[in-house]
Amino acid sequence: MTTPGSSAGLSGTNQLAIDAAGRPGDGWSGRIAAVVSSLALTFSAWSLWETSLRAPDLRVFIPPVIHYASPYNNSNFEMVSLPVTLTNEGARTGTVLSMDLEVTDPRTKQTKRFYAADIGRWSMERTRTNAYAHFAPFALAGRTSKTETILFYTRGETEKPEQLIREVGAYEFKLTLDVAEVDDFGWLDRLWKRSDPTVRFERSLRFFDARAFLTGTIPMDAKDWKTSNTNGQKD
């Protein structure tokens, strides 16, 4: 026969054993909860950075075919038409203030500078009537893209030679975007400041016939028919 006192003692012993057995499990549960909480906090911080705080990160893409014209006799004016796609991989808005283009003839090593002047398709008729949407600074919101055909004109009468693109063959191009600085977070933005987006590419003139400029332009294409971008890669 079991006495009440011995039953209570046995129950107390069993409870102590159960509590002791349960403590390791409680320890592991606590560790797992801590890990899950840390992961959740890390993900939240990363999500906040990617969706709201990340500085503008502009990328530039140039298709395989661009266009060229030099319609005026005895003038140093030349026009390069670039279809440009811009993407902003950052979270905050990036503002493009201007675009500069340098064209180099690898045979003579001469370089001529151009500036972004107009938007649209080049034609002599549109030039006479000034029927262009003139280039102006524009903002590109985070995680968005924009595609425009930018017309680059000779950067003043002092630019030499008079006509750079004439000989059949390849020419080297360097397009640089002037992007407004962001300073929303002071020293942090200055610490992670990016250089202005630049894309280098090569396009070839297959033929030259000035009569083409009366109605349009002459195409210049990439040898490999690939898109060029700011990473120096081909897509």
Side-chain angles (χ1 to χ4, degrees):
M1 179 180 293
T2 304
T3 64
S6 62
S7 176
L10 182 59
S11 298
T13 302
N14 289 342
Q15 186 62 47
L16 289 174
I18 292 171
D19 290 345
R23 287 187 192 115
D26 291 342
W28 280 109
S29 298
R31 293 189 185 96
I32 292 172
V35 170
V36 171
S37 297
S38 298
L39 290 175
L41 181 61
T42 300
F43 177 79
S44 296
W46 176 82
S47 179
L48 177 65
W49 171 261
E50 286 293 322
T51 59
S52 302
L53 303 181
R54 184 176 174 183
D57 182 10
L58 270 60
R59 313 288 176 89
V60 186
F61 299 83
I62 306 295
V65 180
I66 65 175
H67 290 266
Y68 169 76
S70 56
Y72 305 114
N73 294 327
N74 302 317
S75 169
N76 79 335
F77 178 83
E78 295 179 89
M79 187 283 305
V80 179
S81 173
L82 295 183
V84 177
T85 294
L86 303 176
T87 64
N88 183 2
E89 302 296 327
R92 285 180 280 161
T93 298
T95 302
V96 179
L97 302 176
S98 62
M99 298 184 186
D100 295 309
L101 180 69
E102 294 182 1
V103 185
T104 300
D105 183 345
R107 292 164 289 275
T108 64
K109 306 303 180 184
Q110 290 180 300
T111 297
K112 197 169 184 178
R113 297 176 299 170
F114 298 75
Y115 72 99
D118 288 318
I119 299 173
R121 184 175 180 273
W122 166 269
S123 73
M124 287 293 292
E125 182 60 29
R126 290 186 65 180
T127 304
R128 295 188 188 100
T129 59
N130 198 30
Y132 284 98
H134 299 294
F135 182 89
F138 62 89
L140 194 63
R143 305 298 181 184
T144 62
S145 63
K146 181 182 182 69
T147 299
E148 294 283 4
T149 298
I150 310 296
L151 305 182
F152 290 85
Y153 296 168
T154 304
R155 198 173 175 179
E157 294 294 331
T158 59
E159 289 296 322
K160 301 299 178 183
E162 291 295 318
Q163 191 167 352
L164 179 72
I165 302 176
R166 177 182 287 272
E167 299 295 329
V168 171
Y171 291 82
E172 298 168 353
F173 294 80
K174 176 186 174 183
L175 174 64
T176 303
L177 272 58
D178 180 15
V179 179
E181 293 186 11
V182 293
D183 196 20
D184 301 323
F185 301 112
W187 66 269
L188 186 61
D189 277 331
R190 292 190 291 273
L191 178 65
W192 293 99
K193 183 181 183 301
R194 296 177 177 272
S195 58
D196 287 332
T198 299
V199 56
R200 299 175 184 270
F201 55 99
E202 186 179 274
R203 296 294 183 266
S204 295
L205 186 70
R206 302 297 182 181
F207 68 94
F208 184 88
D209 186 349
R211 293 173 296 180
F213 305 138
L214 297 175
T215 57
T217 59
I218 293 177
M220 300 180 70
D221 56 70
K223 292 180 180 179
D224 55 6
W225 296 96
K226 299 291 185 179
T227 294
S228 306
N229 64 52
T230 45
N231 295 328
Q233 302 170 344
K234 301 297 180 67
D235 297 327

